[in-house]
């Protein structure tokens, strides 16, 4: 019986080795975020009098003073650029949320297997009630999902124990339960991989945005007090604008990350519930027929 679990363990672990590697992907996304900030948001066409930048690919590479770099009325993209050095970090967070959310959606979609999972569960339970283990195994092969993988391991052990004469009924039930638990344990890392990234960004994005907000307000109050009674209105508005831009980007990123994290968590919980439901049916069937 132990051989059934170990034979499949290598395949299951190999499958979980796939997916995106955060240590490799996140630095790349940081470079992408910086590139978007410099060359898309910082494109001279997004600001007043683009000729003053003398053909520079980004206003960051021009010799124009910062206070002369102003977006036109209603220019959202240029306004975001003026949010300061925290903006590319927040852009990176947003891209990271999007990339890893797409990856989780694809992985969980594949884990759900082919066809309707509720129909699969009902069919397996019906076959088990008739003690048609071979037919149930065939259904698992055609399902090709995490639920099918766990059920197949349980049914393979079921067949092995049915012909075992060295163990009593109680020992067989313990062995069957252990095989299902081990198969479930091997499947869970694939389902939960990279979920921590979404959870972390849901919190960190707000904190980084708060840092940007504080920096912007510091600049605003510095402009208010540095004018000696006549505050620099342009510097004051720039500081307040920087603060609000960072706040908006951080809250938006955090909200999206939290919503997607909860959505994927509910999907994982649903798959886990289906596995537990069929596992109970396997044990009940074994107790009844063997």
């Amino acid at each position: 019986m132990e051989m059934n679990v170990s034979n499949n363990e290598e395949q299951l672990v190999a499958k979980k080795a796939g997916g995106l590697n955060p240590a490799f992907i996140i630095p790349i996304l940081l470079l992408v975020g910086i590139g978007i900030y410099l060359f898309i948001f910082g494109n001279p066409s997004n600001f007043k009098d683009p000729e003053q930048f003398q053909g520079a690919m980004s206003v960051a590479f021009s010799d124009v003073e910062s206070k002369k770099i102003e977006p036109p009325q209603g220019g959202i993209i240029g306004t975001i650029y003026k949010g300061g050095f925290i903006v590319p970090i927040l852009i990176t967070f947003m891209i990271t949320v999007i990339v890893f959310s797409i990856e989780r959606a694809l992985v969980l979609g594949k884990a759900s297997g082919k066809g309707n999972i509720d129909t699969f569960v009902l069919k397996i339970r019906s076959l088990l009630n008739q003690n048609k283990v071979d037919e149930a195994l065939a259904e698992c092969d055609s399902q090709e999902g995490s639920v099918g993988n766990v059920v197949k391991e349980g049914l393979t052990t079921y067949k092995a124990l049915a012909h075992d004469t060295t163990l009593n009924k109680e020992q067989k039930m313990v062995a069957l339960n252990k095989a299902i638990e081990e198969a479930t344990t091997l499947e869970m890392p694939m389902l939960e991989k990279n979920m921590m990234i979404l959870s972390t960004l849901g919190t960190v994005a707000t904190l980084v945005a708060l840092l940007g907000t504080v920096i912007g307000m510091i600049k605003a109050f510095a402009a208010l007090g540095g004018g000696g009674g006549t505050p620099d209105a342009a510097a004051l508005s720039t500081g307040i604008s920087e603060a609000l831009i960072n706040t908006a980007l951080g809250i938006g990123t955090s909200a999206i990350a939290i919503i997607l994290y909860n959505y994927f968590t509910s999907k994982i919980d649903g798959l886990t519930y289906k596995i537990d439901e069929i596992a109970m049916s396997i044990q009940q069937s074994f107790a009844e027929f063997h």
Side-chain angles (χ1 to χ4, degrees), residues 4-58:
N4 291 326
V5 176
S6 59
N7 287 340
N8 287 307
E9 182 174 350
E10 185 176 342
Q11 293 179 336
L12 291 166
V13 172
K15 179 172 63 177
K16 275 168 259 319
L20 297 179
N21 182 355
F24 177 72
I25 295 298
I26 291 178
I28 294 177
L29 295 180
L30 175 60
L31 294 177
V32 172
I34 294 173
I36 291 174
Y37 174 73
L38 292 176
F39 301 109
I40 295 181
F41 291 93
N43 190 290
S45 63
N46 297 321
F47 300 90
K48 294 179 180 178
D49 191 16
E51 290 79 11
Q52 66 178 322
F53 303 110
Q54 300 177 350
M57 295 182 64
S58 171

Side-chain angles (χ1 to χ4, degrees), residues 51-92:
E51 290 79 11
Q52 66 178 322
F53 303 110
Q54 300 177 350
M57 295 182 64
S58 171
V59 297
F61 304 140
S62 69
D63 297 327
V64 180
E65 294 182 15
S66 177
K67 62 181 182 180
K68 294 182 179 180
I69 302 175
E70 291 295 332
Q73 187 74 22
I76 300 298
I77 296 179
T79 301
I80 293 176
Y81 177 85
K82 295 287 288 183
F85 71 93
I86 298 293
V87 172
I89 299 175
L90 293 174
I91 292 174
T92 300

Side-chain angles (χ1 to χ4, degrees), residues 170-184:
E170 183 177 347
Q171 291 174 323
K172 289 180 178 180
M173 291 298 296
V174 171
L176 179 60
N177 184 60
K178 181 181 178 183
I180 295 173
E181 287 181 353
E182 288 178 347
T184 303

Side-chain angles (χ1 to χ4, degrees), residues 29-219:
L29 295 180
L30 175 60
L31 294 177
V32 172
I34 294 173
I36 291 174
Y37 174 73
L38 292 176
F39 301 109
I40 295 181
F41 291 93
N43 190 290
S45 63
N46 297 321
F47 300 90
K48 294 179 180 178
D49 191 16
E51 290 79 11
Q52 66 178 322
F53 303 110
Q54 300 177 350
M57 295 182 64
S58 171
V59 297
F61 304 140
S62 69
D63 297 327
V64 180
E65 294 182 15
S66 177
K67 62 181 182 180
K68 294 182 179 180
I69 302 175
E70 291 295 332
Q73 187 74 22
I76 300 298
I77 296 179
T79 301
I80 293 176
Y81 177 85
K82 295 287 288 183
F85 71 93
I86 298 293
V87 172
I89 299 175
L90 293 174
I91 292 174
T92 300
F93 287 170
M94 177 64 79
I95 298 173
T96 302
V97 169
I98 294 172
V99 169
F100 282 98
S101 295
I102 293 173
E103 184 248 8
R104 283 297 85 199
L106 294 175
V107 169
L108 293 179
K110 184 177 180 180
S112 298
K114 296 180 178 179
N116 185 280
I117 193 168
D118 292 320
T119 302
F120 171 74
V121 171
L122 292 174
K123 195 162 189 178
I124 292 295
R125 294 183 66 178
S126 174
L127 292 170
L128 289 174
N129 289 336
Q130 302 172 57
N131 197 30
K132 296 181 178 179
V133 180
D134 291 329
E135 288 84 346
L137 281 168
E139 286 295 325
C140 293
D141 288 333
S142 62
Q143 204 267 342
E144 298 181 4
S146 292
V147 177
N149 291 337
V150 175
V151 175
K152 181 178 180 180
E153 180 60 38
L155 293 176
T156 302
T157 304
Y158 182 114
K159 288 186 65 177
L161 291 172
H163 299 91
D164 192 299
T165 57
T166 61
L167 302 176
N168 59 38
K169 183 176 181 179
E170 183 177 347
Q171 291 174 323
K172 289 180 178 180
M173 291 298 296
V174 171
L176 179 60
N177 184 60
K178 181 181 178 183
I180 295 173
E181 287 181 353
E182 288 178 347
T184 303
T185 301
L186 289 170
E187 284 291 332
M188 291 309 294
M190 180 191 70
L191 301 179
E192 296 177 346
K193 182 179 179 181
N194 295 332
M195 288 293 291
M196 186 60 68
I197 294 175
L198 296 179
S199 175
T200 301
L201 289 179
T203 302
V204 172
T206 304
L207 297 177
V208 174
L210 180 60
L211 174 62
T213 301
V214 171
I215 292 174
M217 294 308 297
I218 289 173
K219 291 181 179 179

